[in-house]
Amino acid sequence: MSEQEPVKRVTQRGLWFDEFEDGVLYEHRPGVTVTEADNMLFTKLTMNTQALHLDAHWSAQQPGFGGQRLVNSMYTLSTLVGLSVAQLTQGTLVANLGFSEIAFPAPVFAGDTLYAETLCTGKRESKSRPGEGIVNLRHVARNQDGAVVAVAERSTLVRRAPSGEEA
């Protein structure tokens, strides 16, 4: 097989501001299966001493969660946003501007698989930063059974496509 120059090169990146479409739902795949080690490491790294995440014996005696340790909700939130990066913001995000209306309507346990989707809920050009725009996103995480386990509204600052770059 002879090596030829490619006709076109494509580098994986997120969407430029101009490529986001209000009202479009972006599904992020593959999902990720949460392990006990993920939960323990994240919980310890963030100094969260909540026994519901750390102490299997104590958690087994508590009502409400079937005797299981809960996955740290901040891990769930971080994973929810992380699942969207490759498709939406890799190399195009300038900054997260803020999160709002964060909710965890159902628990996550080790062994659950998380899937994410993001709805673009609005966008506008930045008044103070030419070449950038504000994109509002509604992230939703579902487990393997389709139950919603996390929701987060996020405001982001995203670059516009550089001149000459395909949008």
Side-chain angles (χ1 to χ4, degrees):
M1 184 167 149
S2 70
E3 290 190 35
Q4 298 177 357
E5 271 300 305
V7 175
K8 180 179 178 180
R9 267 184 210 275
V10 176
T11 301
Q12 183 174 336
R13 62 163 170 81
L15 301 177
W16 300 116
F17 171 77
D18 308 277
E19 294 174 304
F20 278 96
E21 295 181 51
D22 192 12
V24 170
L25 182 70
Y26 302 92
E27 294 181 335
H28 313 300
R29 301 294 184 268
V32 63
T33 301
V34 180
T35 68
E36 186 68 33
D38 297 331
N39 186 42
M40 294 299 289
L41 179 60
F42 186 91
T43 298
K44 289 177 181 181
L45 287 174
T46 57
M47 302 291 291
N48 183 338
T49 59
Q50 175 53 254
L52 281 171
H53 308 310
L54 292 172
D55 188 331
H57 176 73
W58 185 84
S59 294
Q61 298 172 27
Q62 304 309 306
F65 298 112
Q68 299 181 68
R69 275 183 282 187
L70 289 176
V71 168
N72 187 317
S73 60
M74 295 297 98
Y75 174 85
T76 302
L77 177 62
S78 295
T79 302
L80 169 57
V81 173
L83 286 167
S84 75
V85 169
Q87 187 176 13
L88 298 182
T89 60
Q90 180 66 47
T92 59
L93 180 81
V94 177
N96 281 314
L97 300 177
F99 287 83
S100 63
E101 299 186 41
I102 296 169
F104 303 100
V108 175
F109 302 105
D112 283 348
T113 300
L114 301 179
Y115 296 96
E117 60 194 39
T118 302
L119 179 67
C120 178
T121 59
K123 68 178 201 174
R124 68 173 176 82
E125 292 184 32
S126 173
K127 294 176 182 138
S128 61
R129 297 181 63 116
E132 297 170 359
I134 297 168
V135 179
N136 296 312
L137 305 168
R138 183 176 194 272
H139 299 289
V140 176
R142 297 177 189 276
N143 69 12
Q144 67 279 356
D145 300 320
V148 174
V149 297
V151 177
E153 302 276 343
R154 178 167 74 133
S155 180
T156 62
L157 187 62
V158 178
R159 291 183 182 92
R160 297 195 75 149
S163 40
E165 184 80 27
E166 280 186 43

